[in-house]
Amino acid sequence: MKNVPFTKLLASTAILGATLFSTNALAIGTEAGTAIQNTATVSFTRNGSSDSEQASVSFKVDEIINVNVTAANASTNITNGDQNAAITYTVTNTGNGPEAFRLFESIGATNDLPLTAGDLTVYYIDTASSDGTFDPNNINETLYTGTDINILRDESITVYIVTDVPNAATLNSLTDLDLTVVSQTEANGIKAGESAFGTVIPGAGADSTNAIIAVDQGRDDATSELKVTTFDPSQSLEVLINKTILGSSALINGTATVTDQKIPGAMVTYFIKVTVQNDTATALAISDIIPANMTYIAESLRVQSAAGSTINTPTYKAPVLPAQTPATYSNFTALTDTNSDADNAETVPNTGTVTSINVALGDLAPGEYAILLDATVNN
Amino acid sequence: MIKNITLALSLALMSFIVSAEVTLTNTVFEVVTITNKDGSQQDQWQQPDKILPGERVGYKVEVSNKGTEPAADIVIANPIPEHTVYVQGSAKGLETQIEFSVDNGKTYALPAELFIEKDGERVQAEAADYSQVRWSLNKPLAAGASTTVQYIVKIK
């Protein structure tokens, strides 16, 4: 059978369509490779004596490659911020021989949560020990790493596509996840996973029988959705801002002195901390209006913006007086007052009396970010 | 001693020659339904190409009398192969009586006279219950003549 001319294969494929369709009720039948043995016996008499003869013929049942994928539920309820949310699928080898399959997970057309391919992981488990619910602590649930999975005929495995749900996912938003399972049978350059319904792969079946593809492209898939049915507001993006005075200094009797007294001419250091929680804050900018009767100290903006840091309130450091030189704080980087430059810090207006400052920090992952600025109490 | 061996040998040779005078051939086909241009359908017996569960397989059993004497009381018996079921009405043979068994060949009868026990009741046997098919030729097979019988099974 291995050298069957191509034209003959085509002809037999055309006929197969009709016969396979008529036999779908017997999707799983006699195991591929089973020998069907037939022995006929003839008995007769001649010249009064009886005798008999036997003749046998045998063939092997060929392999059907077929697979069925179903999702346990049309929709799986989730809450924003859920860890290890999972859609459960059942994969059944509906052919008549053992078959190697590979699993492919993908995100469907609807993706409101949203998710990216890198957010998905796949686990699988043989059905005998599965209750259909993903449990990250169940050691029988195996992380799928792209290798072949062998499934015996009429046997099923349970597959989970697992993801963490973004904190910012909104109520009723949903994302479709698809599981595609592809036969890995291949011989003489014919791949089950790339061949049409009815294709014969000579010699590629169990026990060197022919393999016949009974599901187009040797694959099946199922799509199901994750849907946010409960919204947890504490999981969504929160941005907190806190402004405090670190300390102040003034010239008292000509001597630079740290003092809480906000006397005219006193130089005050402000500490503004922004806390981003649960999700990325996009295009975040800190603006501060210089209070009435105070004057912004030029070039006193400093920033600490390492992603995901925790920032404790720094200990006050006195500036240099009367030069009004801002103090240097560790982990803080000086910004320039110049507008439209790379540090994205600016004063408003850029020249003359500054009424406010603005520091654009861009997209910020959860964490703490802070700026420092100095101003003097007007005389 | 030597004489005895010779005798045994010649007897064995004789029986071989005699039995070879009636031969049996058993050939398997793949039975497919083809649709004609006018939309009608018919079965076609083909060389087995690929055989799958649910598909039909046909057997043709040919008896040839290659001896010089007619052979009488010819009976061809064929157990339905394991993993298959008999397809109703498929057994054919010219000038034969076709009977079936539901007790693995102990007794044979026409379909209408075959019964099995099912859930404690005696019910008419169905094709799937048949364990054997048997053709009894109505007349002797003349020297040099041959005849063919056939039937179809479905792979479970």
Side-chain angles (χ1 to χ4, degrees):
Chain A
M1 280 313 300
K2 286 184 181 174
N3 296 318
V4 175
F6 184 62
T7 48
K8 188 181 174 197
L9 280 180
L10 272 185
S12 54
T13 300
I15 292 163
L16 181 82
T19 51
L20 266 184
F21 277 125
S22 65
T23 60
N24 275 351
L26 287 165
I28 301 156
T30 304
E31 183 157 18
T34 301
I36 304 292
Q37 179 89 24
N38 179 26
T39 301
T41 303
V42 61
S43 59
F44 54 93
T45 59
R46 187 181 40 214
N47 297 332
S49 61
S50 57
D51 205 343
S52 69
E53 276 291 314
Q54 284 196 332
S56 294
V57 63
S58 178
F59 64 89
K60 285 180 184 171
V61 175
D62 290 314
E63 179 171 345
I64 295 171
I65 294 176
N66 204 348
V67 61
N68 182 260
V69 183
T70 55
N73 302 296
S75 185
T76 300
N77 296 341
I78 55 172
T79 301
N80 58 310
D82 274 356
Q83 305 285 301
N84 294 315
I87 294 180
T88 304
Y89 300 86
T90 300
V91 178
T92 305
N93 177 357
T94 50
N96 66 334
E99 188 65 18
F101 296 99
R102 287 193 183 178
L103 314 178
F104 298 91
E105 75 282 11
S106 63
I107 296 167
T110 303
N111 184 19
D112 301 332
L113 292 182
L115 299 175
T116 62
D119 296 331
L120 307 181
T121 50
V122 175
Y123 288 79
Y124 67 98
I125 189 170
D126 62 291
T127 289
S129 52
S130 168
D131 61 2
T133 304
F134 179 68
D135 173 4
N137 298 316
N138 184 342
I139 59 166
N140 293 321
E141 290 165 0
T142 307
L143 177 67
Y144 180 65
T145 56
T147 53
D148 290 1
I149 296 178
N150 287 299
I151 308 177
L152 300 178
R153 72 182 180 117
D154 204 16
E155 295 281 323
S156 299
I157 64 167
T158 300
V159 176
Y160 304 100
I161 300 181
V162 181
T163 189
D164 292 341
V165 181
N167 291 315
T170 55
L171 189 64
N172 294 322
S173 62
L174 52 90
T175 287
D176 287 333
L177 298 181
D178 181 88
L179 178 69
T180 301
V181 179
V182 184
S183 162
Q184 296 301 301
T185 288
E186 176 183 355
N188 302 320
I190 308 174
K191 292 182 178 180
E194 296 174 2
S195 301
F197 176 93
T199 301
V200 179
I201 309 182
D207 203 8
S208 297
T209 57
N210 300 316
I212 289 87
I213 298 168
V215 57
D216 202 32
Q217 305 297 305
R219 67 184 62 199
D220 193 29
D221 79 304
T223 300
S224 182
E225 66 183 23
L226 287 173
K227 184 172 185 181
V228 178
T229 51
T230 307
F231 183 74
D232 180 357
S234 72
Q235 298 290 342
S236 60
L237 173 67
E238 271 189 294
V239 177
L240 309 173
I241 187 162
N242 190 33
K243 181 179 179 182
T244 55
I245 292 174
L246 274 190
S248 55
S249 297
L251 281 176
I252 299 177
N253 296 327
T255 305
T257 308
V258 174
T259 174
D260 286 341
Q261 293 180 1
K262 307 299 187 293
I263 56 176
M267 184 165 162
V268 179
T269 302
Y270 290 98
F271 171 66
I272 301 174
K273 183 164 92 170
V274 170
T275 304
V276 176
Q277 291 178 343
N278 300 325
D279 200 5
T280 298
T282 52
L284 188 141
I286 301 172
S287 294
D288 192 33
I289 296 170
I290 306 302
N293 301 311
M294 292 195 75
T295 301
Y296 169 72
I297 299 291
E299 306 295 338
S300 69
L301 280 172
R302 286 142 290 173
V303 68
Q304 184 174 340
S305 59
S309 304
T310 298
I311 300 176
N312 296 316
T313 304
T315 303
Y316 176 67
K317 291 181 177 179
V320 179
L321 292 177
Q324 295 188 328
T325 308
T328 301
Y329 287 80
S330 60
N331 299 322
F332 280 80
T333 307
L335 299 172
T336 65
D337 291 347
T338 311
N339 288 9
S340 304
D341 62 353
D343 68 11
N344 294 319
E346 61 186 35
T347 54
V348 181
N350 191 226
T351 56
T353 303
V354 173
T355 56
S356 66
I357 58 92
N358 185 66
V359 180
L361 294 173
D363 297 349
L364 297 185
E368 295 180 335
Y369 306 85
I371 62 169
L372 294 168
L373 67 122
D374 290 357
T376 54
V377 180
N378 292 345
N379 287 310
Chain B
M1 193 65 175
I2 291 168
K3 201 173 181 181
N4 279 351
I5 290 172
T6 311
L7 186 66
L9 205 64
S10 58
L11 274 175
L13 208 61
M14 257 179 68
S15 83
F16 174 71
I17 291 165
V18 167
S19 65
E21 288 180 348
V22 171
T23 62
L24 194 63
T25 57
N26 189 347
T27 314
V28 62
F29 295 85
E30 186 178 352
V31 182
V32 299
T33 303
I34 59 165
T35 303
N36 298 318
K37 278 181 181 169
D38 63 4
S40 63
Q41 293 188 324
Q42 68 181 70
D43 283 349
Q44 191 173 79
W45 291 49
Q46 301 180 335
Q47 290 298 314
D49 181 2
K50 64 226 161 315
I51 300 175
L52 301 173
E55 293 188 339
R56 292 174 301 155
V57 163
Y59 290 103
K60 286 192 177 177
V61 179
E62 183 183 33
V63 186
S64 301
N65 184 357
K66 294 177 177 170
T68 51
E69 304 283 334
D73 304 326
I74 291 178
V75 176
I76 301 162
N78 198 328
I80 307 300
E82 206 180 339
H83 306 294
T84 73
V85 292
Y86 173 73
V87 172
Q88 184 134 28
S90 66
K92 289 172 185 171
L94 284 176
E95 296 183 273
T96 62
Q97 180 174 16
I98 303 173
E99 294 167 302
F100 301 90
S101 173
V102 291
D103 57 10
N104 207 21
K106 289 194 193 86
T107 59
Y108 285 87
L110 296 172
E113 297 156 1
L114 282 171
F115 295 90
I116 58 164
E117 291 266 326
K118 202 171 188 178
D119 301 328
E121 284 186 43
R122 192 166 177 265
V123 296
Q124 183 94 47
E126 296 174 0
D129 300 319
Y130 299 169
S131 58
Q132 262 87 4
V133 54
R134 184 176 83 174
W135 296 262
S136 303
L137 271 62
N138 294 338
K139 59 180 188 182
L141 194 60
S146 67
T147 188
T148 300
V149 298
Q150 69 180 53
Y151 72 111
I152 298 172
V153 297
K154 191 171 193 173
I155 310 293
K156 285 185 188 171

